[in-house]
Amino acid sequence: MTQPLSSPAIPGDQAIEKYRIKKEPYYLSIKNEHALFETAHSAKLPVMLKGPTGCGKTRFVEAMAYKLGRPLVTVACHEDLSATDLVGRYLLEGDDTIWHDGPLTTAVRHGAICYLDEVVEARKDTIVLIHPLTDDRRILPVEKRGELLSAPDDFMLVISYNPGYQSVLKDLKQSTRQRFLSIEFDYPPAEAETQIVAREAGIDEAMARDLVKIGEKVRNLKGHGLEEGVSTRLLVYAAQLIARGVNPVAACEAAISSPITDDAELQRSIREIITTVI
Amino acid sequence: MPEEKKGLTGALSDQLKGATRGTIEALAMKMGVLPSERAWVAVDIGASLAAISLKATVDFFKAAPEVARLLENGDLRNWAELGRRIALNNAEEASEFFRSSADTLGALPVRVRPLLVNLCARQIVLSPASALATFRSAPQTISAITDEAAAVRLFGIAVEVAHRSVKHSTEVLNAAPRALAVARALEQTLRLDPDPQAKRPLDQILDLASQFAERTGATAAEFLSAVGDGLEFISERAEIDALCSATSAYLERGGATALQFFRSARVVMELGGRTSFEKWSRVARNVANEGNAIVYDFLKLTPRVCAALAATRLRRREADRRHEVIGSVLDVIEELTTSNIYIALECFKSSPRALAVASLEQFQSWARSGAMLHPQDRRRATAYFALESRTSQESLRGANDGVTLESIAHLLRLYVEALTGREMLIAPIGSIPDESRIGDGHTIYLPSVVAEFGSTEEDFRLYKALAAHAAGQIEFGTREIATPDIRAAISEIDAFFIEKAREVDSRNDPEFAIHSEQHYLRARQLRPLAAEELEAADYRTALGRFANIGLATRIFTTLENGRIDHRLRQAYRGIRRDLDFVRKRIIEHRPPVMELPVEQAIYELLFQITICGGVVDDKGRWAYAEIIRAFENIIADYLRRDASSVGDTLIATLKVYSLIGEQKQQKDAEQEASQQEQEADEEQSENDEGESRQQKRAAQQQRASDPFTQWSQSVEETLPSDSEMLNELMNAESSEQELQEGDLAFFYDEWDRELGDHRAKWCRVIQRENRRGPRDFVEGVRARYSGIISSIRHQFQMLKPESLRRVKGELDGEDFDLEAVIDHHVDKRSTGRASDRLYVRRIRREREVAVSFLLDMSSSTARTITRHPNQPYTRPGQKIIDIEKQGLVLMSEALEAVGDSYSISGFTSEGRRNVKYFVVKQFGEKYSPEVERRIGGITYHNNTRLGAAIRHAATELERQDARTKLLIVLSDGRPYDHDYGDSRYAREDTKMALRQAKTNGITPFCITIDRESEAELKDLYGEVGYTIIDDVLSLPERMPGIYRRLTT
């Protein structure tokens, strides 16, 4: 559903080429996550990125993939994501049935980095599928073809997980979580976030600082009706609007208060915070 | 003559047997000066005196001749009788009395003397001590009164009172000097009276007092003391005339009523001015037509209502506005009295409460619509005007042009929580403060309504600015603890006072020392702070180091607000707009500095410099140039810095404190001098008098709108007293029990059938964890019903859905559906058209049920039910509550088996403010030994206010995320509580609560064991489902079955 399933059956360099990142993504290292990730890659250990949405997990993986020179196969997980979707399936083409690699298989074949975004969203039985890849066996059984793919050294499995959801159903099972190294992510500290917002949107630092301040204040509301704080991504969006000449208050409303909640009162109080800061 | 004298001497020596001959001779000589008739009188009395005390007799004879010159015959006898009675009690005092009599009486005006003797003669009957006291203090009383005619009348009144009540006659004399002084002061005020013929106020007061005296003794005394409370608010002749004549008119209704009238009238006139007084007296007259009792209630109510009116809303305005408001309220009330007095009174009673949240205009329309809605129905009108019914609250708020705190409290809370990142509470205060209070770090006090600017947006901006300030206090560390800055400030403050103490010591001037702070310092010894105190030192610790804590606190509050303002402006450029906007308003409301007394002017200047960004008043700037410069320097040095902290404020406080302290000392000296001059001048010229009067009045007005009184009085005051006063006014008949630790309180509306409306926030539900009992109960039940439990578990496990179900023929799925694929190929080959539904898919199926058990724990469940009524001892029955508990245990087993989410709670009530909701098991809580103990701890108490409990349970249930929500009420009968109206009222409320739950997606179901009144039950639960358990003892077994039926 998320990845086109029409990738050619034959493994080839062209197929994987589109997963390669051409341009260096901007990522500002906050702690030592670069080093940890690189070490994990060389030690062939799977990594779990924990943190709220929009704080830079995906961007981090992209940056690392670029740095390590590996293609990056990203799968956004959802509750209908089945094992077939990940591994691959036979499709009817004319009178023939043709095998199509799923994204995970593609990644394993080519020693790419496979990034399963929001892995808790996937069905439990799907998650079990990755277990043999995450221990020292590093294999992927492709049952339908009776194949047992063994992952090359460059292959790396990365999952992301947002512990912010309070629902019991959205919790990662211990048997799964204990297979991963974990890198904790949070919204960057104010200084770093200012830099990120300013750089990503091309606005001046004073404005970026105000936006970050708004972000910080709104994040205080988490748990008071707000499930999640405003993400760095949204702050960047707001900054981009401002950079294109949108009135700052209007930009913040469009990019901050309105997206994160539908509760009118909450929106109003966020608006008041916006007008307090700018 | 010698013959007579001989007789006298003989008579004397007869009586004074113990006295020496010489003494008797001398006495007889003295007596000789008296006219013979009176001498005999004296001897006569002397005779009876001698029987009591010889010494007193001698003193009597010594004093008699002189006293006789001062008194008439009859009075002389009274006087002597007085002495005799005193002697009966205490001979020593009697001697003293006789000896001092001549001087005492001589000091009095001639006409007063007989009155005094007369009065004392009456008082002695009750108490010799008080008579003696009256006698002795008479000259003082007279000199305090100065006016002879008045004194004569006063004593006349006292005698009159003494006829009825001796006790009160003393009180009359005690109260009189103050009252008469007040009256004279009033005469001074009204000096330019064009009509010299008119009665003097002094006489008017005395006239009234004697009228009171003619009725009852007590009221005359109380009247005088009421006058003594002051009449300085009267500025015109007509006002005192009106006051007196109206009071006198009420005398017909009895002394107590008239007295109450006078007292209330005073307050109305003082707070509301003359026009209000006229309106009010018209209202009172209308009310009086209804009878004495109600008019008395009305009169009694008036002062409190007026005071509340003046306090709630109008502090921020000048005094004139207060008049206007009281006047307008009375206008409305007068209008209402024409239709129904009782309703008018209800409206009057609740006017302060209404005005606390609404503007005058809103109040008017609210009052009128209330009277129109319920023209004759007093009960409904009472509910309406008590602001209990929802219609009323909506009507009051409906035409709102202001913003009420209630409507935006949540919004502001979120706002403040976002800014500070802390949980905050918002609490209302009655008025709009000029400055934010220094909060306690958890609560933010905001005015309950803002209707200042005429537009909702601008009103809101005021709220926003106030909230931002409160948040600023937290963000910028007003309550920081033990930072280096605070420690530095404390040591600086200590150093300052130690230095000061040393200075004083060096002067070694004992008198000065007493007046100086040294006195204070010695008392406190300036003990250095202990280490742990220093660890916990915050601004309060520092303020406590000041000699004059009140002054320091006052300064600190202003300066800290200034610092917060500055920091806010620095940190948030957006808020500057709102702060400027508010600042503009504050500036508009500043009093002119020049008209303030010096002491206040200094605070005012400090306030303006700190909060308004500079002195607003040009004249003031010129007059106080020096101190202004000093203040500005301090503020620039300490507060207007980047990242200034509370420690900086404290040091600035110290600087300002020392500055103001100096000013104050200087000024005290000046003031003393000028006061003496003033006193000296007072009698000289009328012009001066007029001027000083003006000044006085200006000072008074200023006091009324003193900008500091609101906020500077105390740091961390709890709720302002006016809300308590209001509560008292509304005399909430249902007392609230104290909350225990861990309790949560919720408020729910209640449906009033007669009102046809909800009573807003009528019930208070207290949620509390149920107490823990023994675990054996649950274990015992498990053992007893073990067979049943295992079958129930089995049945319920069957209900548990398989987690996944295969669905064939889907468009997409995990696997091909082999049959469909074959069909597909066959179809394609044969027809060319084939179905795409080729897949098998597994779909999660969930049983989403949340159920809440609500258990009636009222005392009626203590009834015992038995199958063997004839064998009460050998086979005792069971209490209903225990049967219900067993049912719960079985239910829990069943629910654990099926995996539905459930909660168990019980309720009882003691009046509408104390509905208790005991939580036994919450949703999501495990069925743990802890829960088992709580089931064991369920017991019965009090009443059944079912409606409130259902509302609370439904509210909890609504939060659950389940497709099916069940509310199962276990009850043994009809709802009842002592203030829950008649059975019909309770039923209708319960019905309404059930209906509401149903509209909110909850399925209520009632299991009841009351067989007696099925018709009522049908009425109560008919709209929702219910079942009656005939055989109560079978309830435990039957409950799971009922549940299963409901959920499958």
Side-chain angles (χ1 to χ4, degrees):
Chain A
M1 194 159 280
T2 50
Q3 290 299 315
L5 297 172
S6 57
S7 53
I10 306 106
D13 283 345
Q14 279 113 345
I16 199 67
E17 269 325 295
K18 62 179 177 163
Y19 291 116
R20 233 174 247 291
I21 292 157
K22 313 275 167 0
K23 194 169 150 259
E24 181 175 10
Y26 170 71
Y27 181 81
L28 185 69
S29 185
I30 306 297
K31 291 176 294 188
N32 59 343
E33 62 263 36
H34 273 111
L36 189 60
F37 193 94
E38 275 176 53
T39 317
H41 183 253
S42 63
K44 298 182 276 183
L45 296 173
V47 165
M48 164 164 69
L49 309 178
K50 284 209 284 189
T53 175
C55 68
K57 298 188 296 284
T58 304
R59 180 63 70 85
F60 171 67
V61 180
E62 283 171 8
M64 289 317 295
Y66 180 83
K67 200 165 173 212
L68 296 169
R70 300 311 312 157
L72 176 69
V73 179
T74 306
V75 182
C77 300
H78 54 86
E79 52 192 32
D80 281 335
L81 187 77
S82 62
T84 319
D85 293 335
L86 276 180
V87 177
R89 56 163 44 100
Y90 282 108
L91 291 176
L92 284 171
E93 277 180 20
D95 281 348
D96 301 323
T97 52
I98 296 173
W99 172 257
H100 286 246
D101 270 349
L104 184 61
T105 317
T106 309
V108 172
R109 274 193 216 285
H110 298 281
I113 295 175
C114 181
Y115 177 46
L116 302 179
D117 198 3
E118 300 287 356
V119 75
V120 275
E121 299 286 350
R123 284 163 46 163
K124 302 270 184 285
D125 55 328
T126 314
I127 293 176
V128 175
L129 184 75
I130 60 175
H131 284 187
L133 265 176
T134 52
D135 48 35
D136 54 356
R137 290 175 284 165
R138 285 170 65 86
I139 47 166
L140 176 68
V142 184
E143 280 169 27
K144 290 191 182 168
R145 278 164 66 105
E147 211 178 339
L148 199 63
L149 282 179
S150 134
D153 288 354
D154 276 339
F155 172 78
M156 184 179 188
L157 186 65
V158 181
I159 62 171
S160 81
Y161 163 56
N162 182 353
Y165 298 131
Q166 268 143 20
S167 164
V168 202
L169 295 171
K170 298 280 171 67
D171 211 2
L172 210 52
K173 279 198 296 193
Q174 283 296 331
S175 60
T176 304
R177 50 195 312 163
Q178 294 207 5
R179 290 167 179 273
F180 292 87
L181 294 179
S182 161
I183 302 178
E184 292 256 7
F185 279 72
D186 201 348
Y187 305 115
E191 265 315 307
E193 196 169 26
T194 308
Q195 218 178 311
I196 293 166
V197 171
R199 145 104 206 223
E200 283 284 289
I203 53 167
D204 62 272
E205 229 184 86
M207 181 47 90
R209 183 158 291 129
D210 280 344
L211 285 173
V212 169
K213 198 176 269 174
I214 291 173
E216 192 184 307
K217 301 298 173 195
V218 172
R219 284 166 199 160
N220 282 336
L221 280 178
K222 192 182 163 190
H224 301 287
L226 216 53
E227 279 169 32
E228 284 267 298
V230 57
S231 60
T232 308
R233 178 168 42 216
L234 280 179
L235 295 182
V236 171
Y237 288 175
Q240 282 169 341
L241 289 181
I242 294 169
R244 280 168 181 70
V246 177
N247 168 299
V249 174
C252 289
E253 274 175 30
I256 298 173
S257 63
S258 182
I260 62 175
T261 177
D262 294 328
D263 182 297
E265 208 155 62
L266 210 53
Q267 280 189 1
R268 172 85 192 272
S269 55
I270 294 169
R271 269 210 299 281
E272 294 307 333
I273 291 160
I274 293 167
T275 53
T276 297
V277 176
I278 48 180
Chain B
M1 196 71 150
E3 174 64 22
E4 208 170 36
K5 202 167 154 190
K6 176 97 186 347
L8 254 182
T9 320
L12 277 175
S13 56
D14 279 353
Q15 286 163 25
L16 305 174
K17 291 210 179 69
T20 60
R21 172 121 200 114
T23 317
I24 294 174
E25 287 285 313
L27 281 173
M29 284 300 286
K30 269 200 168 175
M31 302 282 288
V33 189
L34 292 172
S36 61
E37 187 193 340
R38 312 184 86 184
W40 279 113
V41 169
V43 172
D44 191 26
I45 295 166
S48 58
L49 249 182
I52 300 164
S53 158
L54 205 60
K55 183 163 184 300
T57 318
V58 173
D59 282 323
F60 165 73
F61 280 116
K62 277 184 186 156
E66 260 174 86
V67 172
R69 237 176 288 128
L70 300 169
L71 293 175
E72 295 294 318
N73 250 3
D75 296 328
L76 185 67
R77 185 179 283 278
N78 278 344
W79 169 77
E81 177 64 20
L82 208 54
R84 194 182 68 83
R85 290 244 190 184
I86 294 169
L88 272 176
N89 197 42
N90 183 338
E92 202 56 41
E93 277 190 348
S95 302
E96 171 63 30
F97 170 75
F98 288 127
R99 271 191 305 241
S100 64
S101 285
D103 290 345
T104 307
L105 288 169
L108 300 179
V110 184
R111 284 189 289 161
V112 175
R113 290 173 199 156
L115 289 170
L116 177 63
V117 174
N118 202 333
L119 179 63
C120 292
R122 288 194 182 279
Q123 290 185 342
I124 194 104
V125 179
L126 188 75
S127 145
S130 70
L132 202 59
T134 307
F135 187 80
R136 281 194 194 135
S137 60
Q140 250 175 305
T141 313
I142 297 292
S143 73
I145 293 170
T146 66
D147 184 326
E148 187 183 323
V152 172
R153 292 203 57 188
L154 181 67
F155 276 86
I157 292 167
V159 172
E160 178 71 38
V161 170
H163 275 298
R164 291 162 209 284
S165 159
V166 171
K167 180 169 151 271
H168 290 114
S169 62
T170 323
E171 285 170 17
V172 166
L173 289 183
N174 289 342
R178 241 190 98 70
L180 297 184
V182 166
R184 252 199 325 280
L186 184 62
E187 277 177 26
Q188 303 267 0
T189 320
L190 306 177
R191 177 170 289 190
L192 304 169
D193 194 340
D195 182 8
Q197 297 299 311
K199 255 197 177 154
R200 296 169 54 199
L202 189 66
D203 289 323
Q204 287 176 312
I205 300 290
L206 285 168
D207 281 348
L208 261 180
S210 72
Q211 281 174 19
F212 271 106
E214 280 163 27
R215 300 207 152 253
T216 44
T219 51
E222 285 185 47
F223 168 72
L224 284 173
S225 74
V227 172
D229 289 344
L231 293 170
E232 67 283 347
F233 49 87
I234 291 180
S235 58
E236 274 175 61
R237 175 91 234 188
E239 291 176 4
I240 180 79
D241 287 348
L243 186 57
C244 290
S245 67
T247 307
S248 133
Y250 273 86
L251 270 166
E252 281 172 31
R253 299 183 170 272
T257 312
L259 178 67
Q260 192 57 53
F261 178 86
F262 180 79
R263 280 187 180 150
S264 306
R266 254 194 84 242
V267 176
V268 174
M269 217 179 238
E270 180 171 10
L271 299 176
R274 182 166 155 210
T275 43
S276 296
F277 170 73
E278 280 162 9
K279 288 170 197 164
W280 177 80
S281 357
R282 280 200 298 274
V283 173
R285 207 173 308 137
N286 287 339
V287 176
N289 291 336
E290 286 288 307
N292 264 350
I294 182 168
V295 79
Y296 187 76
D297 281 348
F298 169 72
L299 294 174
K300 197 133 192 236
L301 189 67
T302 301
R304 285 194 291 161
V305 172
C306 286
L309 277 177
T312 30
R313 216 174 131 61
L314 314 155
R315 262 186 242 148
R316 63 201 154 104
R317 302 282 195 178
E318 48 276 47
D320 307 352
R321 175 101 172 122
R322 189 163 71 185
H323 288 194
E324 187 195 309
V325 168
I326 295 181
S328 317
V329 169
L330 285 166
D331 274 337
V332 174
I333 304 301
E334 195 180 347
E335 196 180 306
L336 297 189
T337 47
T338 53
S339 53
N340 186 323
I341 301 276
Y342 293 92
I343 289 175
L345 287 194
E346 287 301 335
C347 179
F348 183 56
K349 212 200 285 186
S350 48
S351 58
R353 240 177 52 148
L355 277 172
V357 295
S359 70
L360 256 182
E361 293 69 30
Q362 286 164 351
F363 169 74
Q364 280 161 352
S365 67
W366 169 77
R368 288 195 185 111
S369 69
M372 227 137 66
L373 273 173
H374 314 292
Q376 293 308 327
D377 186 340
R378 199 171 147 201
R379 201 180 107 82
R380 280 176 178 223
T382 310
Y384 179 91
F385 284 118
L387 279 170
E388 281 161 4
S389 71
R390 231 188 241 172
T391 325
S392 161
Q393 295 197 345
E394 274 160 18
S395 153
L396 186 57
R397 229 173 294 133
N400 208 341
D401 14 82
V403 176
T404 58
L405 181 59
E406 225 171 89
S407 65
I408 53 162
H410 183 61
L411 173 66
L412 287 175
R413 214 187 75 206
L414 290 172
Y415 176 69
V416 174
E417 281 178 351
L419 285 180
T420 61
R422 279 212 220 166
E423 293 244 3
M424 301 297 287
L425 286 174
I426 304 252
I429 48 174
S431 62
I432 300 173
D434 280 344
E435 286 191 317
S436 306
R437 294 181 196 219
I438 305 291
D440 59 3
H442 314 291
T443 314
I444 290 179
Y445 293 97
L446 294 172
S448 52
V449 67
V450 173
E452 282 285 296
F453 305 102
S455 96
T456 319
E457 248 156 80
E458 292 184 332
D459 287 340
F460 179 79
R461 289 177 81 179
L462 182 55
Y463 269 121
K464 186 175 169 185
L466 289 170
H469 244 267
Q473 286 181 5
I474 288 161
E475 185 170 3
F476 304 121
T478 296
R479 303 177 63 82
E480 280 176 335
I481 289 171
T483 56
D485 276 358
I486 290 182
R487 290 179 194 209
I490 289 179
S491 61
E492 198 158 320
I493 292 165
D494 284 354
F496 172 81
F497 284 106
I498 289 166
E499 180 54 36
K500 215 159 178 199
R502 212 166 283 145
E503 229 171 81
V504 174
D505 275 341
S506 66
R507 281 190 229 171
N508 200 15
D509 178 347
E511 201 184 332
F512 185 78
I514 288 169
H515 290 105
S516 76
E517 283 141 339
Q518 167 62 5
H519 178 67
Y520 184 79
L521 288 181
R522 281 231 180 86
R524 289 166 37 108
Q525 299 248 307
L526 254 199
R527 182 176 56 83
L529 285 173
E532 69 265 23
E533 280 177 301
L534 209 54
E535 277 307 301
D538 62 357
Y539 73 94
R540 279 174 300 180
T541 322
L543 290 178
R545 310 298 287 169
F546 280 88
N548 183 343
I549 298 176
L551 178 65
T553 307
R554 195 162 166 179
I555 298 169
F556 173 79
T557 311
T558 304
L559 292 178
E560 180 65 5
N561 269 303
R563 180 179 77 90
I564 299 295
D565 200 71
H566 178 68
R567 295 282 313 255
L568 277 174
R569 281 163 193 275
Q570 239 183 354
Y572 305 106
R573 65 195 160 91
I575 198 72
R576 285 181 213 163
R577 291 186 299 264
D578 302 305
L579 290 177
D580 283 340
F581 173 77
V582 173
R583 180 185 275 181
K584 215 173 86 209
R585 173 190 168 271
I586 293 178
I587 290 173
E588 277 166 18
H589 285 71
R590 287 295 93 202
V593 177
M594 294 312 289
E595 283 178 25
L596 294 175
V598 183
E599 197 176 333
Q600 275 180 27
I602 290 175
Y603 292 123
E604 180 61 29
L605 290 171
L606 181 63
F607 181 84
Q608 294 188 2
I609 294 167
T610 329
I611 310 285
C612 310
V615 176
V616 193
D617 186 338
D618 285 326
K619 271 196 217 153
R621 197 178 304 147
W622 178 78
Y624 293 97
E626 202 177 318
I627 192 150
I628 290 175
R629 210 171 314 119
F631 282 161
E632 279 172 349
N633 286 338
I634 293 171
I635 287 159
D637 286 352
Y638 292 97
L639 304 186
R640 298 269 152 81
R641 289 197 315 209
D642 293 354
S644 54
S645 73
V646 70
D648 294 319
T649 313
L650 284 168
I651 293 181
T653 305
L654 178 66
K655 305 271 172 200
V656 173
Y657 181 91
S658 65
L659 263 178
I660 289 186
E662 277 166 31
Q663 291 276 329
K664 206 175 157 194
Q665 267 169 21
Q666 256 177 37
K667 208 202 56 177
D668 280 351
E670 277 169 30
Q671 208 177 31
E672 227 163 83
S674 72
Q675 221 164 37
Q676 279 165 1
E677 274 169 45
Q678 226 178 24
E679 274 165 25
D681 287 351
E682 206 144 32
E683 280 156 294
Q684 282 184 0
S685 86
E686 284 183 22
N687 287 347
D688 281 2
E689 186 82 16
E691 245 177 52
S692 81
R693 178 152 46 93
Q694 258 180 11
Q695 272 174 12
K696 231 199 233 154
R697 191 164 308 155
Q700 248 162 37
Q701 274 175 6
Q702 229 47 75
R703 212 172 306 131
S705 62
D706 177 357
F708 298 97
T709 45
Q710 296 164 18
W711 49 266
S712 60
Q713 293 306 327
S714 63
V715 173
E716 269 178 47
E717 213 175 310
T718 46
L719 268 183
S721 60
D722 50 330
S723 73
E724 279 161 35
M725 190 150 82
L726 288 178
N727 273 340
E728 198 189 311
L729 257 186
M730 300 315 299
N731 50 41
E733 77 276 24
S734 204
S735 60
E736 293 192 354
Q737 291 170 0
E738 291 277 330
L739 291 185
Q740 292 173 11
E741 206 184 319
D743 283 1
L744 294 171
F746 301 85
F747 292 89
Y748 292 98
D749 295 356
E750 185 168 288
W751 175 256
D752 187 326
R753 158 181 85 85
E754 284 168 40
L755 226 54
D757 193 355
H758 280 95
R759 285 179 178 268
K761 307 254 178 289
W762 190 249
C763 298
R764 184 179 70 154
V765 172
I766 304 167
Q767 183 179 317
R768 181 180 298 171
E769 196 166 273
N770 196 40
R771 83 186 171 86
R772 295 194 295 167
R775 252 190 86 192
D776 342 341
F777 181 85
V778 174
E779 312 228 309
V781 174
R782 273 207 202 117
R784 188 168 153 199
Y785 288 95
S786 58
I788 296 177
I789 286 178
S790 69
S791 90
I792 288 174
R793 286 192 77 98
H794 181 70
Q795 286 171 14
F796 273 79
Q797 263 156 2
M798 302 281 283
L799 285 178
K800 201 171 183 175
E802 285 174 62
S803 58
L804 290 171
R805 192 164 51 106
R806 290 171 69 92
V807 180
K808 291 186 174 183
E810 287 283 284
L811 277 173
D812 195 3
E814 292 92 7
D815 225 332
F816 286 115
D817 179 351
L818 192 59
E819 288 166 36
V821 174
I822 293 167
D823 286 350
H824 177 89
H825 278 275
V826 173
D827 286 352
K828 206 171 160 193
R829 294 263 157 91
S830 56
T831 65
R833 279 202 312 265
S835 160
D836 286 337
R837 297 184 166 273
L838 303 179
Y839 297 91
V840 174
R841 188 184 190 120
R842 286 193 290 176
I843 290 179
R844 197 188 308 259
R845 202 186 63 169
E846 277 168 28
R847 180 185 156 92
E848 281 186 297
V849 180
V851 57
S852 196
F853 287 91
L854 185 60
L855 184 68
D856 174 359
M857 283 165 58
S858 64
S859 22
S860 56
T861 53
R863 248 185 322 145
T864 305
I865 304 277
T866 173
R867 282 207 175 109
H868 310 280
N870 298 327
Q871 293 158 279
Y873 300 107
T874 49
R875 307 176 82 164
Q878 285 177 298
K879 290 201 171 79
I880 294 177
I881 186 106
D882 288 329
I883 301 173
E884 288 179 342
K885 276 157 79 176
Q886 290 167 9
L888 286 179
V889 175
L890 263 59
M891 241 4 269
S892 304
E893 295 289 340
L895 289 165
E896 289 295 322
V898 74
D900 289 352
S901 122
Y902 67 105
S903 78
I904 303 173
S905 32
F907 71 97
T908 68
S909 66
E910 286 172 82
R912 63 185 177 88
R913 308 307 276 179
N914 304 303
V915 180
K916 287 184 201 124
Y917 188 89
F918 296 100
V919 176
V920 177
K921 178 190 173 294
Q922 282 179 326
F923 285 110
E925 195 177 354
K926 274 205 183 125
Y927 184 52
S928 59
E930 171 75 21
V931 172
E932 291 176 5
R933 299 182 86 118
R934 278 190 232 135
I935 293 180
I938 294 174
T939 174
Y940 50 88
H941 5 223
N942 307 319
N943 303 329
T944 328
R945 203 178 197 96
L946 195 48
I950 290 176
R951 284 190 183 91
H952 187 65
T955 312
E956 295 279 296
L957 197 50
E958 267 166 50
R959 278 198 226 125
Q960 297 307 310
D961 191 17
R963 204 172 297 142
T964 313
K965 296 173 191 173
L966 262 175
L967 171 63
I968 297 185
V969 182
L970 273 170
S971 164
D972 72 321
R974 61 197 85 143
Y976 166 79
D977 197 359
H978 57 76
D979 57 354
Y980 205 12
D982 54 10
S983 69
R984 183 92 194 273
Y985 177 102
R987 228 162 46 224
E988 292 289 327
D989 175 50
T990 308
K991 257 167 90 172
M992 194 52 98
L994 290 169
R995 203 176 291 157
Q996 276 164 352
K998 214 170 170 185
T999 26
N1000 291 334
I1002 291 168
T1003 316
F1005 188 83
C1006 304
I1007 301 178
T1008 173
I1009 52 169
D1010 183 10
R1011 274 172 299 178
E1012 281 146 34
S1013 48
E1014 188 150 5
E1016 266 186 37
L1017 276 177
K1018 201 159 188 178
D1019 178 40
L1020 187 55
Y1021 302 123
E1023 289 177 29
V1024 300
Y1026 74 104
T1027 186
I1028 304 172
I1029 308 267
D1030 289 322
D1031 179 6
V1032 182
L1033 289 166
S1034 72
L1035 174 83
E1037 295 104 285
R1038 288 191 54 188
M1039 252 171 86
I1042 294 167
Y1043 180 76
R1044 203 158 52 119
R1045 217 178 53 228
L1046 279 171
T1047 54
T1048 45

